[in-house]
Structure formats: structure tokens, C-alpha cells
């Protein structure tokens, strides 16, 4: 133990450790000042963003807020550790209270520090474009509350530690319980980092893994050598690394959003993209990107390809949260009010639906669909030509055609509106299976729903013809495919002012298998045998028990209503068909 005498803080005054921590406090104050300065500058840029749509993110201000909280917590932790060490050896009433309060705040701030740092990791993940489930936040909140509760209980019971007459604290037999909270935080930090590993490059993964090393080593040393307390110093080192990681990566995030992010491992030499039509140059080209769709690779690829566009003014917006594409679209229209806009929906079916719902001026807005999702069902209406929609040059030089869309009082859909089985297996509870792959939640949800959901009684009005009964699924659409492989009609004419509907009767469990086989194989005769199918211009759906229910718009839920009226808006949408793709005629 003589090797560690300089860091002894249990038997008396520890001048070396106190000196180190005082210097750490000074450095922490400097880092805090720098972060505050950054936040002030960010606030100015955010105010500028209200009048300049090219600035599309909050410049990591929330991330810097969490880093600021980490710095404040580490300062509080270090001050209380210095006070706890400085008052050892005195038996006055003042030092009694100072020692007890300082140690309590020290232990509590360690838990708070770990909790904030975990939230900081979540924010780093979300900054990259991924959405972290609330499950992780809930677990961290529970660990924090239980840890602080146990610490509070330990104060009058000496559960963790006790003080002698000279205000020196000593471990109790159950002191190891004080480590549980820290170990749990480290565990969920590692688990979350692994679960969302695609959010980071290889180098950033190593940096985030290094955040755990210092506290683990310090906890191990403190457990083996009671007299040595380097945990606060370890937390400072971790904070120091986080500060420089933030400062370094922030320089990249503050680039203008239209500047491509280089992929150093990409060896492909992309050709320049030429604008073939002079009319295309007079349009504002707006790319709204959902980076989550397609596992992020499409968003990165799009950035690279756009860097090769010549003679074109364009703007790129990245949605950082679910359903935010709608808000971005509204902002774009306000900024370019009265001008011709072409908006590129860079995502899946849900992304396109959210963007279209944000359109207020359908006359001056053109919609281009750059598919990045798992299914992109509407584009299957174009047959083999759907592959051309991923060619950004062909899409920029595309031709505008008028197509139909579905409209209700609650919103718009491009491909389908439905209720029944899919309104159950698309629920949030099944998304926990995302850890096994993007498609797994849908298959698990569909399987569970097949055997647990009994059909409800509906009244369906199809152009004035009323159909009543217990139905497993009610679907109306403008395309021909749903869920990527289920065909609800043989051919779809997307501009004839008519919609196709398909209603599945009262089936449960294995009874769904044959109808699904018919839909998968596109057996038109079988479809008429197992479903009620046809064309219409309006459908009104209500439940016979008069209860409100949800409808699914292109894979996205909308609010609950007792009655849904779905109408077709004939040729109401300016849709961009890629150069070289024939206009679909059914």
C-alpha cells in the first residue's frame, strides 16, 4: 500500500490528490467556458436558421447542453471530494456536517454523472440520424432513482459507509452495493453502443468505448485498495476525452448541409450529373432525407451523388425525428412561397407520406420519390421501371405527370389506407424486435396478430353500396402492392380517378394463409374468391359498435375516429417520373 500513500484519502489529509483535483477543477472550468461560448454561437446560428433554410439542424445544441451538464456535475463532484478529504481529522460540529454532506453529494453526483453521460451517448446516436427507443431512457432513469434511493437509505443506517470520531469514513460490509449502480450504467452504455453501432464510424466507436475504460479501472482499484480514490480523477479524464471528441466532431457537423460527407473507404469514381432540361434549372430542388430508412447507406450515397451535380441549385434537409418531414416541408413552402418547388422524398413509404401531408400548394410543388425504405410499395406500380427511381440523375431530369392520391379529413396517402390486422401488428410494442433486423418486427407482429386478433364488425360504404360484416382487413389504394409483396389488385392506373379496394372476410389464425398466398402470387381469380375487390371513388368505413379506430396511411398510423371517409383526388399530385421510364398506363 506504500505505493499509493500519495493518494490516501481515508486516514488523513491527501495533498497530492487534492492538488490534482484542484487542477482538474480549473481545467473543467475552462472547458465549461468554451462549451458555453459554443452554445452562444449556436444560439445565434439557430436564430439565423429561422430565415435561412440551408441551416437544417440545431447544430448539436442539445448535445452541447448535455456536455455542459457533464462538466457542471464533474466540477461539483471534484469540489465535494476535495472538501471531504480536507476535513478529515477534525471533530467539530461544522466538519461533521461538511463531511457527511460532501460524501453524500459526492456519491450522488457519481450516479447523476453516469446518467447524464448515458443520455449524452443517446444524443450522439440521434445526432447521426438514428432514433433511440425510450426503453433505454427508462432503464437509465430507473437505475438512477434506485441508486440515489439506496444511497439516501444508507445515510442513517450506515449501509455503505460510516464515520469515526475524526470524520474519516470507513466501508461497511455491504459497501459493494454502492458499485451496483455504476456497473449497471456501464453495462447499458455498452449494450446501447453495440445496439446502435451503425451510428458511428469505427474510430468513433473506439472513442466511445474508451469512455468506459477509466471508470472501470478506477472502480477496480477502489475496490481492491480502499485507501486509493481515483474515481473522480477517472471521471475527469472521461469528461476530457468527451470534450475533445465533441469539439473535433462538431467541426464536421457545422459544415453547410449541402456539402457532401466524404466516405474515405469509397473507391468508386462517380460521374458528373448533367442537367438536360433548361426548365429544371428554374425549379428549387429540395431533398428531404430520412437517414434511418434503408440502414443509412442510401443517405450517405445520396450525399456523394449530389456532389456531382452540375449547374443545379439544391438544398438538403435531414429529418432527425419521426414525422418531422411534414414540418420541414411546411417551412420550405413558406420560404419559397410562390416559387416552383420539386421535393425529393428520400426515404420509405412513410417518409413520402409525411412529406406529401406537408404540401399546401399542390399546383407549384412537384414530388419526386427517391426510394430508401424497405418496400417503397407505390413505385411497384411502375413495374420494372421502379429501379430507375434510384438513379438520381434520371430523377432530376425526369418528367412530371399528374397522378391521383387518397384524401381524408385527417390526412393524405399516396399508396394505401387500411385498417384491421395491419393496425395491430404495426404497433410500437413489436418494434422491440428491431434488434434482430428491420423486417423482424413486422413478421413477429403479423404472426401474433393472426392468432390473437379477432375481426371487428364494420359497415363499409363503397360509392353508396353498403357492405356489413366482420372483416379482418379493409384496404383501399391507388397502387397495387402493400407490405412489399402482397398484391391487392392486378394492375393499377394511378391517374384514372379510381381507387382499388380489397376487403378480407371473417378469418382467424391459419385461415389467413390461403388469402395471403393468393395475394403473394397475384392470383386474380383467387383474389376475387377470398376477398371483396373492386374499384371506387369513395369509401366510408365505420365500426358497428360505434367505437373509434385507427387507420394506417402508407404504413404510418393516424389518429382515431369513429368514421373514416376516403376520397380520390384525381390527378391532384405532380409526380416526377425518371428520365427513361415510360408513363404507367395500367
Amino acid at each position: 500500500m506504500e505505493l499509493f500513500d500519495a493518494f490516501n484519502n481515508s486516514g488523513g489529509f491527501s495533498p497530492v490528490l487534492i492538488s490534482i483535483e484542484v487542477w482538474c477543477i480549473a481545467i473543467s472550468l475552462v472547458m465549461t467556458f468554451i462549451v458555453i461560448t459554443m452554445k452562444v454561437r449556436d444560439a445565434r446560428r439557430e436564430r439565423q436558421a429561422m430565415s435561412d433554410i440551408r441551416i437544417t439542424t440545431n447544430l448539436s445544441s442539445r448535445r452541447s447542453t448535455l456536455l455542459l451538464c457533464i462538466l457542471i456535475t464533474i466540477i461539483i463532484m471534484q469540489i465535494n471530494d476535495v472538501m471531504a478529504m480536507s476535513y478529515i481529522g477534525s471533530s467539530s460540529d461544522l466538519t461533521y456536517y461538511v463531511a457527511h454532506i460532501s460524501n453524500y453529494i459526492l456519491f450522488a453526483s457519481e450516479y447523476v454523472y453516469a446518467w447524464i453521460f448515458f443520455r449524452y451517448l443517446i444524443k450522439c446516436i440521434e445526432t447521426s440520424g438514428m432514433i433511440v427507443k425510450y426503453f433505454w431512457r427508462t432503464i437509465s432513469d430507473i437505475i438512477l432513482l434506485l441508486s440515489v434511493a439506496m444511497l439516501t437509505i444508507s445515510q442513517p443506517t450506515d449501509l455503505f459507509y460510516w464515520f469515526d470520531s475524526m470524520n474519516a469514513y470507513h466501508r461497511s460490509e455491504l459497501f459493494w452495493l454502492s458499485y451496483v449502480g455504476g456497473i449497471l450504467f456501464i453495462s447499458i452504455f455498452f449494450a446501447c453502443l453495440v445496439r446502435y453501432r451503425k451510428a458511428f464510424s469505427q474510430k468513433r466507436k473506439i472513442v466511445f468505448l474508451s469512455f468506459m475504460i477509466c471508470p472501470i479501472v478506477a472502480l477496480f482499484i477502489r475496490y481492491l485498495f480502499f485507501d486509493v480514490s481515483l474515481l473522480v480523477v477517472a471521471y475527469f479524464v472521461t469528461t476530457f476525452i468527451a470534450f475533445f471528441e465533441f469539439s473535433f466532431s462538431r467541426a464536421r457537423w457545422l459544415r453547410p448541409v449541402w456539402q457532401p460527407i466524404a466516405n474515405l473507404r469509397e473507391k468508386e469514381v462517380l460521374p458528373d450529373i448533367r442537367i438536360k432540361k433548361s426548365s429544371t434549372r428554374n425549379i428549387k430542388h429540395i431533398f428531404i432525407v430520412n437517414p434511418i430508412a434503408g440502414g443509412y447507406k442510401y443517405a450517405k450515397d445520396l450525399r456523394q451523388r449530389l456532389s456531382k451535380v452540375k449547374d443545379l441549385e439544391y438544398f438538403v434537409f435531414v429529418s432527425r425525428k419521426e414525422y418531422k418531414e411534414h414540418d420541414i416541408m411546411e417551412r420550405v413552402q413558406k420560404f419559397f412561397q410562390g416559387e416552383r418547388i420539386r421535393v425529393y422524398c428520400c426515404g420509405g413509404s412513410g417518409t413520402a407520406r409525411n412529406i406529401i401531408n406537408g404540401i399546401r400548394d399542390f399546383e407549384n410543388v412537384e414530388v419526386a420519390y427517391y426510394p430508401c425504405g424497405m418496400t417503397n410499395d407505390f413505385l411497384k406500380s411502375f413495374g420494372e421501371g421502379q429501379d430507375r427511381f434510384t438513379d438520381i440523375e434520371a430523377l432530376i431530369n425526369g418528367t412530371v405527370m399528374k397522378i391521383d392520391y387518397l384524401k381524408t379529413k385527417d390526412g393524405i396517402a399516396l399508396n394505401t389506407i387500411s385498417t384491421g390486422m395491419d393496425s395491430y401488428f404495426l404497433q410500437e410494442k413489436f418494434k422491440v424486435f428491431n434488434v434482430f433486423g428491420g423486417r423482424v418486427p413486422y413478421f413477429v407482429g403479423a404472426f401474433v396478430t393472426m392468432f390473437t386478433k379477432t375481426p371487428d364488425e364494420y359497415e363499409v360504404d363503397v360509392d353508396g353500396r353498403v357492405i356489413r360484416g366482420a372483416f379482418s382487413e379493409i384496404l383501399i389504394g391507388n397502387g397495387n402492392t402493400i407490405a412489399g409483396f402482397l398484391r391487392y389488385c392486378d394492375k393499377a392506373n394511378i391517374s384514372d380517378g379510381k381507387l382499388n379496394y380489397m376487403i378480407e372476410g371473417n378469418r382467424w389464425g391459419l385461415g389467413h394463409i390461403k388469402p395471403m398466398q393468393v395475394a403473394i402470387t397475384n392470383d386474380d381469380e383467387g383474389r376475387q374468391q377470398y376477398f371483396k375487390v373492386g374499384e371506387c371513388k369513395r369509401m366510408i368505413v365505420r365500426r358497428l359498435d360505434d367505437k373509434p379506430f385507427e387507420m394506417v396511411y402508407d404504413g404510418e398510423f393516424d389518429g382515431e375516429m369513429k368514421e373514416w371517409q376516403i376520397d380520390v383526388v384525381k390527378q391532384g399530385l405532380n409526380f416526377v417520373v425518371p428520365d427513361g421510364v415510360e408513363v404507367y398506363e395500367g
Side-chain angles (χ1 to χ4, degrees):
M1 296 298 295
E2 293 180 0
L3 178 63
F4 303 107
D5 282 347
F7 300 99
N8 184 337
N9 72 337
S10 65
F13 189 74
S14 179
V16 174
L17 188 56
I18 289 175
S19 299
I20 291 174
E21 291 197 14
V22 168
W23 275 106
C24 290
I25 292 172
I27 297 172
S28 299
L29 288 170
V30 173
M31 291 190 293
T32 302
F33 175 77
I34 294 173
V35 173
I36 291 174
T37 303
M38 289 180 180
K39 285 191 67 60
V40 171
R41 293 176 61 187
D42 288 350
R44 293 173 182 170
R45 289 176 180 267
E46 286 176 10
R47 286 194 295 270
Q48 179 188 0
M50 300 300 293
S51 59
D52 185 354
I53 67 168
R54 294 173 298 175
I55 301 177
T56 61
T57 70
N58 60 4
L59 302 174
S60 309
S61 62
R62 292 183 181 178
R63 188 170 180 242
S64 61
T65 298
L66 287 170
L67 181 60
L68 186 60
C69 292
I70 289 172
L71 286 163
I72 293 172
T73 305
I74 194 66
I75 291 171
I76 293 172
M77 193 187 306
Q78 292 169 134
I79 290 173
N80 281 277
D81 196 30
V82 169
M83 291 178 65
M85 288 187 288
S86 299
Y87 282 91
I88 292 175
S90 174
S91 58
S92 67
D93 291 340
L94 175 62
T95 53
Y96 170 84
Y97 288 109
V98 170
H100 280 71
I101 294 173
S102 297
N103 276 280
Y104 176 80
I105 295 176
L106 173 62
F107 274 79
S109 58
E110 290 177 2
Y111 298 134
V112 173
Y113 177 90
W115 177 79
I116 297 174
F117 212 98
F118 182 70
R119 289 301 184 99
Y120 179 76
L121 171 67
I122 291 176
K123 187 51 61 179
C124 290
I125 294 170
E126 292 182 337
T127 301
S128 71
M130 296 186 79
I131 298 175
V132 180
K133 296 183 179 299
Y134 279 100
F135 164 80
W136 296 98
R137 294 177 174 86
T138 303
I139 290 295
S140 66
D141 293 344
I142 292 173
I143 294 173
L144 175 65
L145 291 174
L146 291 178
S147 299
V148 174
M150 288 289 291
L151 175 63
T152 304
I153 293 171
S154 73
Q155 298 305 294
T157 61
D158 296 337
L159 183 66
F160 291 167
Y161 54 83
W162 56 277
F163 291 88
D164 60 22
S165 59
M166 301 303 292
N167 280 325
Y169 101 122
H170 303 272
R171 290 179 181 176
S172 300
E173 290 184 1
L174 296 178
F175 181 79
W176 60 272
L177 287 174
S178 65
Y179 289 99
V180 174
I183 293 172
L184 288 176
F185 272 118
I186 292 173
S187 300
I188 64 171
F189 186 97
F190 180 75
C192 190
L193 185 60
V194 172
R195 168 64 182 85
Y196 297 98
R197 59 190 179 277
K198 292 183 179 180
F200 304 114
S201 64
Q202 196 64 29
K203 290 182 179 180
R204 290 194 73 196
K205 288 177 190 174
I206 294 173
V207 171
F208 277 91
L209 283 172
S210 69
F211 291 164
M212 300 184 297
I213 295 175
C214 293
I216 290 173
V217 172
L219 281 170
F220 183 72
I221 292 175
R222 189 167 78 172
Y223 183 78
L224 293 181
F225 306 103
F226 170 63
D227 292 340
V228 180
S229 179
L230 296 176
L231 188 58
V232 176
V233 176
Y235 282 140
F236 168 78
V237 174
T238 299
T239 305
F240 193 77
I241 297 172
F243 171 78
F244 274 94
E245 186 275 335
F246 171 78
S247 302
F248 180 79
S249 59
R250 186 175 182 273
R252 176 172 65 86
W253 290 337
L254 287 179
R255 293 174 183 173
V257 295
W258 59 86
Q259 184 175 347
I261 300 174
N263 184 352
L264 299 179
R265 293 175 295 178
E266 181 65 61
K267 296 181 179 180
E268 179 186 2
V269 178
L270 299 174
D272 290 342
I273 295 176
R274 300 291 179 182
I275 306 303
K276 298 178 181 178
K277 301 176 182 179
S278 58
S279 59
T280 304
R281 296 188 179 91
N282 300 323
I283 300 174
K284 302 298 181 183
H285 294 260
I286 310 297
F287 293 81
I288 300 179
V289 182
N290 174 6
I292 299 174
Y296 310 94
K297 62 180 180 180
Y298 291 107
K300 294 180 180 179
D301 177 73
L302 176 63
R303 292 278 191 176
Q304 290 179 310
R305 296 192 181 280
L306 287 179
S307 69
K308 297 295 182 178
V309 178
K310 303 297 181 183
D311 304 322
L312 183 73
E313 182 183 18
Y314 63 90
F315 304 85
V316 178
F317 295 85
V318 179
S319 61
R320 299 297 183 185
K321 293 183 179 179
E322 287 185 287
Y323 313 121
K324 285 299 180 182
E325 299 92 354
H326 174 278
D327 298 337
I328 294 173
M329 188 64 220
E330 288 191 332
R331 282 187 60 197
V332 166
Q333 289 175 103
K334 288 180 181 178
F335 190 85
F336 292 117
Q337 189 171 6
E339 297 190 58
R340 193 78 177 173
I341 298 172
R342 178 177 293 182
V343 57
Y344 297 78
C345 308
C346 306
S349 301
T351 302
R353 185 258 166 175
N354 294 336
I355 292 172
I356 293 172
N357 271 266
I359 298 176
R360 296 294 174 262
D361 182 6
F362 282 88
E363 187 65 32
N364 286 319
V365 176
E366 301 173 0
V367 176
Y369 194 156
Y370 182 76
C372 305
M374 288 190 298
T375 58
N376 309 297
D377 292 323
F378 182 72
L379 298 186
K380 291 180 171 58
S381 301
F382 291 88
E384 295 180 358
Q386 64 180 297
D387 295 335
R388 289 284 288 167
F389 282 83
T390 58
D391 186 337
I392 194 63
E393 181 174 2
L395 204 56
I396 291 174
N397 292 302
T399 302
V400 176
M401 66 174 293
K402 295 278 190 177
I403 68 168
D404 307 335
Y405 65 87
L406 298 84
K407 183 178 181 180
T408 73
K409 293 180 180 179
D410 206 45
I412 295 169
L414 183 62
N415 188 55
T416 58
I417 296 178
S418 58
T419 190
M421 284 187 61
D422 55 352
S423 62
Y424 285 87
F425 71 72
L426 291 174
Q427 290 179 4
E428 189 73 23
K429 62 183 179 181
F430 294 113
K431 291 186 179 180
V432 68
F433 294 99
N434 267 331
V435 68
F436 302 108
R439 295 180 183 269
V440 174
Y442 300 101
F443 289 118
V444 173
F447 181 80
V448 172
T449 303
M450 282 175 60
F451 292 95
T452 59
K453 177 66 179 69
T454 56
D456 295 311
E457 297 277 346
Y458 293 94
E459 179 182 271
V460 184
D461 185 324
V462 181
D463 284 345
R465 182 168 63 94
V466 177
I467 306 171
R468 292 185 179 89
F471 302 129
S472 300
E473 182 74 10
I474 301 171
L475 179 147
I476 184 169
N478 189 39
N480 59 15
T481 306
I482 190 172
F485 57 90
L486 300 176
R487 296 284 293 272
Y488 57 88
C489 66
D490 184 28
K491 292 183 179 180
N493 191 321
I494 58 178
S495 58
D496 65 347
K498 295 180 182 179
L499 301 174
N500 292 281
Y501 68 86
M502 182 176 74
I503 302 174
E504 183 182 3
N506 187 354
R507 292 187 180 86
W508 181 84
L510 297 177
H512 290 289
I513 293 179
K514 186 59 180 178
M516 288 182 64
Q517 182 182 355
V518 167
I520 292 171
T521 58
N522 193 27
D523 180 358
D524 191 49
E525 291 184 5
R527 189 162 39 232
Q528 295 184 36
Q529 177 183 352
Y530 287 97
F531 302 95
K532 298 180 186 298
V533 296
E535 293 182 335
C536 66
K537 296 182 179 180
R538 170 178 292 178
M539 176 183 281
I540 302 173
V541 184
R542 64 179 70 90
R543 280 176 50 158
L544 293 181
D545 58 11
D546 203 35
K547 290 183 178 179
F549 60 100
E550 289 182 308
M551 297 290 273
V552 179
Y553 288 61
D554 291 340
E556 301 286 341
F557 283 105
D558 234 302
E560 290 188 344
M561 290 196 298
K562 291 185 178 181
E563 179 180 289
W564 294 82
Q565 178 175 311
I566 303 106
D567 292 285
V568 60
V569 179
K570 184 177 181 180
Q571 299 184 9
L573 187 67
N574 298 310
F575 192 75
V576 180
V577 179
D579 185 36
V581 175
E582 295 183 2
V583 175
Y584 186 77
E585 296 180 350

